Amino acid sequence: MQAEDNDATASAEVLKPEEVGKPDKMEEDWRDEDHEVNVNSQPAQVEPKGTVKVKCQDISATEDIKDEKEEVKKRHLNAVFIGHVDAGKSTIGGQILFLSGQVDDRTIQKYEKEAKDKSRESWYMAYIMDTNEEERVKGITVEVGRAHFETETTRFTILDAPGHKSYVPNMISGASQADIGVLVISARKGEFETGYEKGGQTREHVQLAKTLGVSKLLVVVNKMDDPTVNWSKDRYDEIESKMTPFLKSSGYNVKKDVQFLPISGLIGSNMITRLDKSVCSWWNGPCLFEALDSVEVPLRDPKGPFRLPIIDKFKDMGTVVMGKVESGSVSEGDSLLLMPNKAQVKVLAIYIDEDKVRCAGPGENLRVRLSGIEEDDILSGFVLCSVVRPIASVSEFVAQLQILELLDNAIFTAGYKAVLHIHAVVEECEIVELMQQIDPKTKKLMKKKVLFVKNGAVVVCRIQVNNVICIEKFSDFAQLGRFTLRTEGKTVAVGKVTDVSSSSSA
């Protein structure tokens, strides 16, 4: 599900020209501040606002299928809301849905009463996103909330990720589907510090977002209306000055890819309309909706080989799978391959949100009804792909890893075991061989044999997984070739797949 644009294998792999529109060799430097990697794209190309992404052929005018103009007139972006627990992510998500007309006043009044009955008056907006009882009682998000709203030029899918460290795997699954990140920081006295200090989730979430390919970040400084803050410019500047060096060290080009803005999620200030000078005299920048609308993301290739990692499946008049299209396009009636079990399937119907469509392109979150396979034969992490160019299915692969922070007394060597997160896959794995170490300064392979490495090291190694999994080389499909390794609830390393050679293919 992830790896980081961190540190490099310039000399560790030779990029072979494939038919896929490939990222530049500059991808090789994970932490290069000037370049960001995107699947099947030229980094310099940008998807303009309102782009028509997929031309659907012979779309029928039947009522249950959206007509062509409706279907493709707006670009689609997945925005993941990340940050420390209690920063206000769910409240902001709820407020966005209310302000964009997705939730009516009557529903809001019902939630207000429910929150008041629980003596949690300030939580009522979060109830829009946090729908199960456990989340409402504890006030923490557990599952990744999912909702949709539109601005004038863009359709957004909100992914409300859990902030609590116990639910980081759920946060990883949410962020792996995102195009842009909204990092929520609480300006309230003491709360920013708790989230930012060692052990706080602000740091881990930023590193994971970068690892997961979230190349653009909006940093919203929330709770600016709190009595301990009162729209103070000094407090806002303090947070920005502390966050900027950390964002840089995590690989973000702060000038190009990061934007800070102050808001209040609870009362909706600086969200759909700009701040009134009487409230905040010093802010001259955009409101949240404007900032979201103006984010430019690299162009995706609708003609690439089809890839849709499956995040969920269920029965509904047949077998239905859910996931985000990472590459290529899909049409009703297409024959596809489900890997790694090599099942031939046919596309019976495609849904975007609740709308049935004839075809869909990269970046879309879909529900796809399939024939030729039973729901029980599908697992999360399986990949729907083109028959002509199927995804590699392997039980062993070569990767370049950057060690972040090992558990106390742990030694990273052959035999090290961890949990691998790569796109929708979660699998136990073992490091079977440390092949070569890379000098982090020169990015060159070091000649001496490596037996073990410490924190901060970059190493090329061979990794074995318990079950066959579907992955790609990072240089071919960045989103399906970046991953994290976690041990005992902590992210210990980030990496990218450099070789899925046939010798390890299933």
Side-chain angles (χ1 to χ4, degrees):
M1 196 161 2
Q2 321 90 348
E4 182 129 327
D5 301 66
N6 267 3
D7 233 302
T9 14
S11 38
E13 72 179 289
V14 179
L15 300 181
K16 299 191 184 99
E18 313 257 330
E19 301 101 69
V20 192
K22 296 182 62 141
D24 275 37
K25 185 94 163 152
M26 58 181 74
E27 263 182 31
E28 290 297 287
D29 192 339
W30 298 349
R31 288 235 161 132
D32 184 335
E33 288 192 350
D34 295 312
H35 305 113
E36 189 44 56
V37 183
N38 207 285
V39 181
N40 305 326
S41 66
Q42 301 296 328
Q45 289 180 303
V46 164
E47 186 175 293
K49 298 185 280 295
T51 301
V52 173
K53 287 186 297 187
V54 186
K55 271 281 181 207
C56 290
Q57 310 266 312
D58 69 336
I59 293 200
S60 103
T62 51
E63 283 181 29
D64 65 332
I65 298 176
K66 298 180 90 180
D67 71 37
E68 182 173 9
K69 285 182 190 150
E70 270 300 301
E71 188 174 335
V72 296
K73 72 177 181 183
K74 290 185 179 182
R75 67 174 185 162
H76 174 255
L77 287 182
N78 298 283
V80 65
F81 282 68
I82 58 174
H84 193 67
V85 66
D86 279 345
K89 297 181 294 298
S90 300
T91 295
I92 291 169
Q95 187 70 259
I96 286 172
L97 296 181
F98 175 60
L99 293 171
S100 60
Q102 307 297 307
V103 182
D104 58 25
D105 284 327
R106 186 177 292 178
T107 306
I108 290 290
Q109 285 164 7
K110 184 183 112 191
Y111 289 153
E112 271 192 279
K113 181 179 183 305
E114 198 178 321
K116 200 168 185 180
D117 290 346
K118 289 184 168 76
S119 302
R120 295 284 187 264
E121 285 91 334
S122 66
W123 290 4
Y124 72 96
M125 274 293 173
Y127 282 12
I128 298 169
M129 296 299 295
D130 290 342
T131 52
N132 75 40
E133 197 54 35
E134 181 192 358
E135 292 178 320
R136 291 183 175 184
V137 169
K138 292 182 180 175
I140 57 173
T141 303
V142 176
E143 300 290 338
V144 175
R146 188 182 289 271
H148 310 278
F149 77 101
E150 296 189 16
T151 59
E152 281 185 23
T153 64
T154 310
R155 290 182 298 113
F156 284 97
T157 298
I158 298 174
L159 301 161
D160 177 29
H164 197 280
K165 63 184 177 185
S166 302
Y167 305 113
V168 167
N170 291 358
M171 175 267 167
I172 288 173
S173 79
S176 71
Q177 300 159 54
D179 304 299
I180 60 172
V182 180
L183 174 63
V184 181
I185 288 173
S186 170
R188 183 181 284 160
K189 192 173 180 183
E191 283 191 4
F192 163 66
E193 288 73 14
T194 304
Y196 180 67
E197 282 158 14
K198 197 168 179 182
Q201 290 311 109
T202 302
R203 284 172 176 268
E204 186 173 20
H205 277 205
V206 168
Q207 288 173 328
L208 284 170
K210 186 63 179 168
T211 298
L212 293 156
V214 177
S215 59
K216 304 283 182 180
L217 211 56
L218 290 180
V219 183
V220 296
V221 182
N222 189 28
K223 306 190 186 181
M224 288 295 291
D225 61 318
D226 190 82
T228 64
V229 184
N230 203 18
W231 296 99
S232 159
K233 186 175 188 306
D234 288 345
R235 178 61 166 165
Y236 177 83
D237 289 346
E238 178 195 359
I239 290 169
E240 186 174 349
S241 67
K242 283 184 177 170
M243 283 302 301
T244 299
F246 176 67
L247 291 166
K248 278 184 180 169
S249 72
S250 299
Y252 282 100
N253 180 337
V254 177
K255 285 185 184 155
K256 236 174 60 176
D257 298 330
V258 178
Q259 185 173 3
F260 285 81
L261 66 159
I263 67 163
S264 166
L266 187 62
I267 58 176
S269 297
N270 205 35
M271 289 187 67
I272 199 166
T273 53
R274 290 193 176 199
L275 275 170
D276 195 291
K277 291 290 179 194
S278 63
V279 175
C280 180
S281 58
W282 50 270
W283 179 252
N284 296 311
C287 62
L288 181 60
F289 276 47
E290 288 173 318
L292 284 167
D293 238 354
S294 65
V295 171
E296 292 181 330
V297 295
L299 193 64
R300 306 179 182 104
D301 180 13
K303 294 195 170 102
F306 185 67
R307 298 286 186 268
L308 184 142
I310 292 165
I311 57 166
D312 205 359
K313 45 69 185 282
F314 55 90
K315 269 196 171 77
D316 179 13
M317 296 190 298
T319 302
V320 179
V321 296
M322 291 172 62
K324 175 188 165 193
V325 181
E326 295 293 356
S327 166
S329 305
V330 62
S331 299
E332 209 176 273
D334 279 357
S335 290
L336 297 172
L337 204 56
L338 186 66
M339 294 292 280
N341 54 357
K342 300 184 174 70
Q344 296 263 1
V345 296
K346 188 167 183 182
V347 176
L348 300 178
I350 304 166
Y351 297 88
I352 296 176
D353 302 343
E354 298 306 313
D355 300 306
K356 187 177 182 187
V357 296
R358 276 285 167 90
C359 66
E364 293 289 0
N365 290 307
L366 304 182
R367 283 179 294 129
V368 184
R369 184 174 289 120
L370 302 171
S371 67
I373 188 123
E374 290 300 315
E375 182 221 4
D376 293 344
D377 297 327
I378 302 171
L379 296 173
S380 288
F382 280 20
V383 178
L384 265 182
C385 56
S386 62
V387 177
V388 182
R389 290 201 52 201
I391 191 169
S393 57
V394 302
S395 57
E396 199 176 274
F397 60 94
V398 176
Q400 180 186 299
L401 268 186
Q402 172 157 25
I403 313 301
L404 298 178
E405 192 177 359
L406 298 168
L407 298 176
D408 293 343
N409 303 321
I411 297 171
F412 195 88
T413 183
Y416 186 92
K417 290 184 170 67
V419 178
L420 169 83
H421 293 259
I422 183 162
H423 62 88
V425 172
V426 181
E427 270 292 338
E428 289 189 3
C429 71
E430 181 178 338
I431 309 300
V432 288
E433 182 191 359
L434 297 189
M435 296 162 77
Q436 280 177 299
Q437 194 166 351
I438 294 170
D439 187 321
K441 292 196 178 89
T442 64
K443 312 285 191 281
K444 298 226 171 112
L445 291 168
M446 293 156 71
K447 287 184 179 163
K448 65 177 182 182
K449 181 114 176 98
V450 57
L451 295 173
F452 66 92
V453 289
K454 297 178 180 175
N455 291 346
V458 180
V459 65
V460 179
C461 58
R462 190 176 294 281
I463 299 175
Q464 198 173 67
V465 285
N466 290 351
N467 296 298
V468 174
I469 60 171
C470 294
I471 59 173
E472 294 276 11
K473 278 173 63 173
F474 180 83
S475 55
D476 292 344
F477 290 83
Q479 206 58 21
L480 302 176
R482 44 162 66 95
F483 63 91
T484 63
L485 294 183
R486 289 175 57 81
T487 305
E488 293 180 27
K490 184 176 172 185
T491 303
V492 293
V494 293
K496 59 185 186 181
V497 177
T498 57
D499 189 16
V500 288
S501 61
S502 53
S503 63
S504 63
S505 288

